[in-house]
Structures are given as structure tokens and as C-alpha cells.
Amino acid sequence: MTERKKVTLTTLYSKAEKGEPISWLTCYDYPTAYLQEQAGIDMILVGDSLGMTMLGYDSTLPVTMTDMIRHTQAVRRGAPTAFLIGDMPYMSYQASTEDAVRNAGRFMAEASCDAIKLEGGREMADRIRAIVAAGIPAFGHLGLTPQSVAALGGFRLQGKGAAQAKRIVEDAQILEEAGACAILLELVPDRVCELITKRAKNSLIMSLGSGPNAHGQLLIYHDMFGLYPKFTPKMAKVYGNAGEVILSGLQAYNQEVKDQTFPAAENYFGMKDDEFEALVKSLDN
Ligand code: KIV
């Protein structure tokens, strides 16, 4: 087991101050969380992307708080010291600040999160303010926000033009003023990300496909290892094809069962002759 001390907001701010980039990954289950903890990943996001990567939906919209809490609890069991962020699912915060505070509180109380994340700019500033006022660290999320993908016109770069980029820069400032301890910029041009990072005073700026000039980087775990069958976004780096390794193992198993080369002697247990004879005898009576 890792000897690492618990990663806290103080740890993260201190890394940012020293110019040490923060590593961040998505994770949805116990065994993967265990590996990420061993690898020393600083922050883990239990994203509502689990709707697509783990539950097979076409979008993140059907994901519920119950889904999120169950997966987040499993991740916390596997990664006790990583800074753990629960992602507020669709309609867990949009309708009212009361919903937002109550559901953010569930992540903290039921899944031992260190923070929550929600999507949206200025229109969500009051939610961030209320959550932070309740003593819960809150992450903002700007640029490509998957819960609004229909309104954004698909999974595409956000803030390409000056006017749209200005709105993202302003939104980042508004979320920071509302108390967001960190802001994720997803799929915005690198120079916009750099500008926001330079202007940030109290918020950590994290990049997902938005270039190197941020306080840290986020990747979707399934994209890193070829584990999402439908597509791999262009911005993702593939570090290995676990999907291929698993598929060839499954094919080999299927074949070995059929040609009776599995199980081999080392895959099962025998019984002493006298015990077996006694068993057979007892059944004869
Ligand atoms: O749900 C998620 O994994 C996310 C990332 C896309 C940032 O919100």
C-alpha cells in the first residue's frame, strides 16, 4: 500500500504555487481506483461520464445521484488518499440552489468526497456560492460541458472565436469570485486556457484537451487504455490498449473451454482417494 499522506486542497494549492503540475484522472470502480492510488495520481474525478463508459448510455444525461454515490463510494475505498471529486449529475443542481447544496452534501457525507464539480458558467455562480457557503469545495467546468452537448452543437472545440472565448474568460472569473476552488477547462484553445490560468488568483485551472498551460491535466481513464468501444476523442493520449489485451484473453478462454484445454491441472483441486471412496460408499447406501 502507498504511504502517501492524504492529498488536500492545501497540497494542491502548494503544488500550483511551486509550478508542479497536478495529475487528474476519471475513475469509476474499486480496482481502478486502487491502481490510480498506487500510481500516485493526485486527484480522481468520478465523472458522470460513467453513464457512457460504464453503463453504456449514449450520453451522461440518464445518470442519477444513486449511480454516482454508489460508484464514488467504491472509488474512495480503492483510493483513500487521492483528492476525490464527485461530479454532480444532470438535474442534480440545475433546478435550484437547494437541490445543488443537498446533492453536493450527499457526495461529502455518503461517499467521503473532498469536493464536487458542476458544469456551467455565470448562470451557475449562485449554485457554486451556495455550495461553498455550506462548507463544500466546488469545482467549476467550462468549455465543452457534456450535459449541455445538445445546446453546444456536439462534442467540439469551444471558444474558437474571440467573442465566445471572452465569455469563457469572464465565466472563469465569475466562478472564481463565487468561490470555485478549481475550474476545469474542457476543449478550449490552448491560448485561452493559458490566459485564464494567468488571470486566476484563487482557483486552480485544470485542462482537459486545452493545452499544457494550466495547473494540471485531466484525462478520461477509458480513453487512455482503449476501454471505450464507441470512440476515442482526438485530444486523448492512448497509453496502452487494455481493450485489445482483454479481448484476446477472452477469445483464448472461449476457445480453451471449447477445446477442453481449460481447466488444466493447476486450475482445480483434487480429493484424497480414501475420502473420495468414503464419499462414494456413503452415497451407495
Ligand atoms: O464526467 C466526466 O468525466 C467529466 C469530464 C468529461 C470532465 O465531466
Side-chain angles (χ1 to χ4, degrees):
M1 260 309 230
T2 170
E3 300 286 308
R4 178 170 74 167
K5 275 202 205 142
K6 177 86 189 74
V7 179
T8 63
L9 263 185
T10 312
T11 324
L12 299 170
Y13 282 129
S14 138
K15 277 179 184 278
E17 231 173 77
K18 289 188 239 160
E20 283 175 25
I22 297 164
S23 56
W24 191 14
L25 286 178
T26 59
C27 183
Y28 320 98
D29 61 77
Y30 170 81
T32 311
Y34 181 84
L35 294 175
Q36 293 192 8
E37 173 93 10
Q38 297 307 301
I41 302 301
D42 297 312
M43 304 204 296
I44 293 180
L45 172 69
V46 183
D48 65 351
S49 51
L50 72 81
M52 298 166 80
T53 55
M54 301 296 286
L55 303 178
Y57 297 127
D58 286 335
S59 78
T60 60
L61 304 193
V63 175
T64 64
M65 274 302 293
T66 307
D67 295 329
M68 292 304 300
I69 296 285
R70 171 61 65 93
H71 284 266
T72 309
Q73 288 168 335
V75 170
R76 178 48 97 201
R77 287 191 283 270
T81 71
F83 192 87
L84 181 63
I85 301 115
D87 200 13
M88 304 276 286
Y90 185 58
M91 284 302 142
S92 67
Y93 59 97
Q94 284 92 341
S96 69
T97 49
E98 286 75 16
D99 279 357
V101 174
R102 197 164 296 115
N103 286 317
R106 287 194 62 192
F107 272 115
M108 308 302 280
E110 297 175 38
S112 306
C113 278
D114 297 300
I116 60 84
K117 173 176 86 59
L118 56 82
E119 298 182 8
R122 61 199 71 192
E123 69 287 358
M124 288 299 153
D126 62 339
R127 310 298 196 275
I128 296 272
R129 206 171 291 112
I131 290 168
V132 172
I136 301 171
F139 281 43
H141 180 169
L142 297 171
L144 176 64
T145 45
Q147 289 172 16
S148 322
V149 73
L152 297 175
F155 290 90
R156 58 166 66 130
L157 185 67
Q158 301 295 310
K160 256 200 304 195
Q164 202 196 17
K166 180 166 188 271
R167 195 171 166 89
I168 296 172
V169 174
E170 287 171 356
D171 277 349
Q173 187 169 345
I174 292 168
L175 293 185
E176 175 166 352
E177 284 163 7
C181 60
I183 299 168
L184 170 66
L185 298 178
E186 178 171 354
L187 217 51
V188 304
D190 59 346
R191 292 210 280 184
V192 176
C193 178
E194 181 175 8
L195 192 66
I196 293 173
T197 306
K198 280 189 180 147
R199 289 164 60 100
K201 293 186 181 68
N202 302 310
S203 301
L204 301 168
I205 305 301
M206 301 297 299
S207 162
L208 171 56
S210 301
N213 295 308
H215 297 117
Q217 297 292 323
L218 170 65
L219 270 184
I220 308 291
Y221 174 80
H222 282 58
D223 296 338
M224 293 173 71
F225 294 107
L227 289 169
Y228 185 60
K230 292 191 178 161
F231 62 89
T232 303
K234 190 167 160 269
M235 65 187 176
K237 177 166 177 185
V238 179
Y239 283 81
N241 204 322
E244 249 170 49
V245 173
I246 293 168
L247 178 61
S248 78
L250 293 171
Q251 287 165 333
Y253 167 74
N254 188 39
Q255 192 52 49
E256 288 181 11
V257 169
K258 286 169 185 166
D259 63 22
Q260 298 186 319
T261 52
F262 179 89
E266 66 271 22
N267 304 121
Y268 56 89
F269 299 90
M271 191 177 187
K272 285 186 178 154
D273 289 347
D274 54 343
E275 292 296 339
F276 186 67
E277 277 156 24
L279 168 66
V280 172
K281 209 164 160 194
S282 73
L283 295 174
D284 283 347
N285 294 334

